[in-house]
Amino acid sequence: MCGIIGAVAESAIKPVLDGLGRLEYRGYDSSGISILSNNEIQTIKARGKLNNLKQRLSMQALEGKCCIGHTRWATHGKPNETNAHPHQCGQVSVVHNGIIENYLELKRKLVQWGHHFNSSTDSEVVPHLINHYLSQQMTQEEAIEKAITQLKGSYALGILINGSSNNLYAIKQDSPLVISQGNNGFYMASDAMALGADSAKIYYPKDNEIFQLNSHEIKLCGNSINKKIHYINNQNSAKLISKEGHNSFMEKEIFEQVDLLKRLSVNSHANKYSTINFKELKKITIIACGTSYYAASVAKTWFEKYAHILVEIDIASEYRYRSPIVTDNELAIFVSQSGETADTLAALRYAKSKKAQTLALVNVANSTIAREANFTFEIYAGPEIGVASTKAFSCQLAIFYKMAIEAAKQRELINNAELKQLIFSFAQLPYIMEKVLQRCTDMKAMAKKICKYSNVLFLGRGALTPIAQEGALKLKEISYIHAEAYAAGELKHGPIALLDEQMPVLVIAPKNNLTDKLLSNIQEVQARNAPLFIIGDKSIREYINLQEDDFFELPPMPEAILPIISVIPMQLLALYSAQILGKNVDQPRNLAKSVTVE
Ligand code: M6R
């Protein structure tokens, strides 16, 4: 993970610090900058959040035209100041995102050559290697080129060299990187979102192209730039910073979902979905990680139910290692909010190598996954800053729902009345969601009780099992309460052994054809004295005796949209539990928004 940024501009420190603020979602255990000031590289680092670095910087008047910065998510080496980037060797300073897999071997060699290392990171070998080749009279470009031929693994690098000319270099392999030309300077960063209002033109480098940014131009070393330029909307980055009156980005993003779904239900992207020939498809495979994987799990139920298509789902980190069978007429869908998740990207590349037709479902339009898939559908959730994914999930589900309808239509497996009903249900979705959000104080009361426990068991059935899993993931991510989820029928096959007064069980209980079965599962819970909490239809209360605070009522709604609605109380539960426990909702420990390492 980690976020990197660099600028060649008047007062380069400002765009770098602003960009680090926007990159903090990629890691926040330490940060640092290197700046060329008075012909010297000055490096300042701090442990913890970016504010600590800013405080240090406020104590010294540093100015310069060439600056690199880093915000870290520790892989190799503890999150402390020594391991924070940039790492420097002589006149070379480097920021790195990725993993240098052969760093131990390289380090051994460099130590034999007389190099001394300060950190326990993999990254520190990079400035040492470059410095070594510079000392052999190579030019800056030659030294970088030679150094990267030694590296195995993934990297996006920002390299500052203090030499006869002051240059910033950027290069990548299997890690995201953008290069940008603005009116007032030249920039490089992990993603386009990190760049401020000055950057309009964005270049997406290919692996191992070496870019030089100097005070006059951006140079592709050895070649002239002849690449496609993608324009980004500069307003996005400015808008990002605001929580719009909410306590956290996550809270803002939860409440934003109503408007996003209103927009999605009005905009017809149906024409786009019809570019996929669902009629001829034999199989859909959906591959993703984390929350996006749970969206895939819900999508499977819709595609199977409404379009009768065989759907396999897989966790991206497993997919390419299990020799999956890619058949003719198979569509492989890759779901990713960030579009940069290393496991999902690697799975996409694997599927492409096996000649599968690939489709990316992403939130970040120009992300690597979006650019590499054969087809790309956006979910239009807008920038999601909270590390715990919320609005991206409901928008992923909304798009999947529309795709399933299109598939059902093309395969002529659904009559007009059913089709109309599904479309009508979708149109109702934001209004029902609004009602649920209006009851958020009820969820505060439930959270107050639940967050007194150390463990919680979530139960669901059918398409609501992945929602229970998503609820458990949300709770553990930001409140650090241990939570697991099961299909309710599985309770008796093992997890029931855990039940006692200290193991609360939260059940999603709608009124549908499985209600009777679920009620039996609920009885089993109550018989073992486990504290019971229900998110469900009003009618459930007729059968189960529960205190007011232990029940969160779901409004009546069509079965098809239940998963999209019932995730809302789950998100609120996690949010309020974390708030009550005083946790950092947007930046939970050990996590990063975009997981760009394997
Ligand atoms: O950007 P992606 O959708 O590919 O990310 C996948 C997961 O890393 C992500 O959903 C993660 O599980 C979130 N922290 C969940 O809240």
Side-chain angles (χ1 to χ4, degrees):
M1 279 83 99
C2 305
I4 66 170
I5 183 157
V8 179
E10 278 299 317
S11 303
I13 210 164
K14 175 153 180 17
V16 166
L17 279 182
D18 289 349
L20 285 179
R22 289 184 281 259
L23 281 170
E24 241 191 330
Y25 76 90
R26 300 176 78 93
Y28 34 77
D29 61 45
S30 56
S31 54
I33 61 144
S34 278
I35 183 155
L36 262 173
S37 185
N38 299 325
N39 279 333
E40 237 188 279
I41 296 180
Q42 304 271 357
T43 297
I44 292 89
K45 315 193 224 185
R47 193 192 161 164
K49 301 279 157 59
L50 182 62
N51 270 343
N52 300 352
L53 176 71
K54 284 186 177 164
Q55 249 172 27
R56 284 214 174 156
L57 287 167
S58 67
M59 290 187 265
Q60 37 200 307
L62 275 180
E63 273 302 331
K65 293 185 180 161
C66 220
C67 184
I68 50 174
H70 187 272
T71 179
R72 181 167 188 248
W73 183 86
T75 58
H76 297 57
K78 288 203 162 57
N80 57 30
E81 199 175 315
T82 316
N83 290 333
H85 297 217
H87 292 289
Q88 198 174 332
C89 178
Q91 297 307 305
V92 184
S93 184
V94 168
V95 285
H96 168 222
N97 167 36
I99 293 180
I100 309 297
E101 288 166 3
N102 59 337
Y103 81 103
L104 282 175
E105 184 193 315
L106 293 171
K107 199 168 173 175
R108 231 173 278 131
K109 199 158 74 177
L110 283 155
V111 168
Q112 276 170 10
W113 292 343
H115 285 250
H116 170 75
F117 282 78
N118 295 313
S119 76
S120 24
T121 65
D122 52 331
S123 315
E124 202 186 345
V125 295
V126 183
H128 282 269
L129 273 176
I130 299 171
N131 199 49
H132 172 76
Y133 294 120
L134 282 175
S135 70
Q136 298 190 334
Q137 314 312 320
M138 289 188 190
T139 65
Q140 294 179 355
E141 291 173 28
E142 284 165 352
I144 292 172
E145 204 167 2
K146 179 82 179 160
I148 59 166
T149 57
Q150 320 278 307
L151 306 179
K152 288 194 186 132
S154 60
Y155 48 82
L157 299 166
I159 304 162
L160 200 59
I161 304 186
N162 184 18
S164 49
S165 58
N166 297 331
N167 295 318
L168 196 165
Y169 293 89
I171 183 160
K172 63 147 256 177
Q173 175 170 287
D174 289 339
S175 281
L177 181 70
V178 298
I179 307 287
S180 164
Q181 182 181 333
N183 291 326
N184 304 314
F186 303 107
Y187 311 94
M188 49 142 294
S190 297
D191 63 39
M193 267 197 344
L195 300 168
D198 187 40
S199 9
K201 289 180 181 170
I202 300 284
Y203 305 91
Y204 289 97
K206 290 197 188 118
D207 278 355
N208 291 326
E209 287 177 337
I210 303 175
F211 282 80
Q212 187 197 81
L213 285 62
N214 59 45
S215 38
H216 312 291
E217 61 180 346
I218 298 174
K219 241 174 68 184
L220 180 55
C221 297
N223 283 296
S224 59
I225 292 184
N226 180 18
K227 302 170 70 68
K228 191 174 170 197
I229 300 175
H230 297 261
Y231 291 92
I232 58 160
N233 178 355
N234 298 326
Q235 301 313 311
N236 281 348
S237 44
K239 215 178 148 203
L240 259 181
I241 301 158
S242 166
K243 290 182 189 149
E244 289 167 17
H246 289 277
N247 287 321
S248 60
F249 282 110
M250 182 185 177
E251 185 179 278
K252 174 190 143 198
E253 286 155 9
I254 290 175
F255 284 87
E256 219 181 315
Q257 293 176 99
V258 171
D259 284 342
L260 289 170
L261 286 163
K262 274 184 189 159
R263 250 177 275 158
L264 280 177
S265 62
V266 174
N267 289 348
S268 169
H269 305 102
N271 290 344
K272 201 156 188 203
Y273 309 135
S274 60
T275 53
I276 306 289
N277 184 352
F278 288 102
K279 200 162 184 168
E280 305 298 327
L281 282 186
K282 282 200 190 128
K283 185 174 122 190
I284 296 178
T285 304
I286 316 179
I287 296 139
C289 302
T291 290
S292 298
Y293 174 77
Y294 296 135
S297 314
V298 175
K300 172 182 166 74
T301 67
W302 286 332
F303 279 119
E304 290 181 346
K305 183 167 177 183
Y306 302 121
H308 298 202
I309 305 183
L310 169 67
V311 179
E312 261 185 38
I313 48 172
D314 214 333
I315 292 170
S317 53
E318 291 291 320
Y319 176 70
R320 70 188 194 286
Y321 295 116
R322 68 165 175 86
S323 312
I325 295 159
V326 178
T327 59
D328 288 346
N329 285 340
E330 167 174 342
L331 175 67
I333 305 180
F334 297 84
V335 195
S336 175
Q337 186 285 129
S338 61
E340 300 294 352
T341 301
D343 287 319
T344 313
L345 178 61
L348 164 71
R349 288 177 177 161
Y350 178 90
K352 277 184 92 175
S353 75
K354 298 282 169 200
K355 309 275 179 280
Q357 193 183 186
T358 57
L359 187 153
L361 191 65
V362 294
N363 192 30
V364 181
N366 278 317
S367 54
T368 313
I369 291 176
R371 283 180 282 126
E372 292 199 11
N374 301 126
F375 301 93
T376 296
F377 292 167
E378 284 173 55
I379 60 166
Y380 303 105
E384 191 181 62
I385 305 298
V387 164
S389 187
T390 52
K391 61 176 182 169
F393 181 72
S394 50
C395 291
Q396 285 165 347
L397 288 183
I399 302 295
F400 268 133
Y401 185 96
K402 289 184 154 204
M403 281 168 72
I405 294 181
E406 172 64 27
K409 231 166 43 181
Q410 284 187 24
R411 291 163 78 91
E412 296 169 17
L413 287 165
I414 192 165
N415 64 36
N416 271 346
E418 286 168 322
L419 201 61
K420 266 193 185 156
Q421 183 53 47
L422 284 176
I423 295 167
F424 179 66
S425 302
F426 192 73
Q428 286 180 284
L429 184 58
Y431 304 96
I432 300 173
M433 190 179 273
E434 204 160 20
K435 282 190 195 158
V436 173
L437 283 166
Q438 278 161 359
R439 294 221 185 98
C440 59
T441 41
D442 295 356
M443 194 38 92
K444 272 189 190 151
M446 192 186 279
K448 220 172 175 174
K449 283 186 156 179
I450 286 195
C451 72
K452 292 199 175 114
Y453 296 95
S454 316
N455 302 287
V456 184
L457 209 58
F458 285 68
L459 299 180
R461 286 200 86 118
L464 298 181
T465 303
I467 300 302
Q469 290 169 315
E470 170 61 4
L473 177 67
K474 285 289 89 84
L475 189 68
K476 62 186 148 198
E477 274 190 303
I478 59 167
S479 73
Y480 316 142
I481 297 172
H482 173 237
E484 296 303 331
Y486 287 91
E490 276 293 289
L491 186 67
K492 56 187 176 294
H493 297 291
I496 199 163
L498 295 169
L499 299 192
D500 64 14
E501 294 80 359
Q502 289 308 311
M503 177 60 81
V505 178
L506 187 148
V507 188
I508 315 175
K511 181 95 190 106
N512 63 14
N513 59 336
L514 290 172
T515 304
D516 290 344
K517 308 226 177 288
L518 197 65
L519 284 172
S520 308
N521 302 138
I522 291 172
Q523 297 295 346
E524 290 156 16
V525 171
Q526 285 199 311
R528 269 102 191 153
N529 296 327
L532 176 69
F533 297 90
I534 292 185
I535 292 170
D537 186 79
K538 199 167 150 190
S539 60
I540 301 291
R541 297 204 69 178
E542 290 167 23
Y543 308 98
I544 310 284
N545 190 15
L546 272 181
Q547 284 183 23
E548 231 14 71
D549 292 355
D550 302 344
F551 184 79
F552 184 92
E553 187 183 321
L554 289 174
M557 73 189 92
E559 172 88 18
I561 59 170
L562 251 170
I564 315 183
I565 297 292
S566 48
V567 76
I568 301 295
M570 300 284 170
Q571 297 171 348
L572 290 173
L573 173 67
L575 173 75
Y576 296 139
S577 301
Q579 277 178 0
I580 295 165
L581 294 170
K583 306 295 182 206
N584 186 331
V585 168
D586 286 330
Q587 296 183 329
R589 70 183 181 205
N590 303 339
L591 293 176
K593 183 78 186 154
S594 179
V595 185
T596 55
V597 292
E598 255 200 270

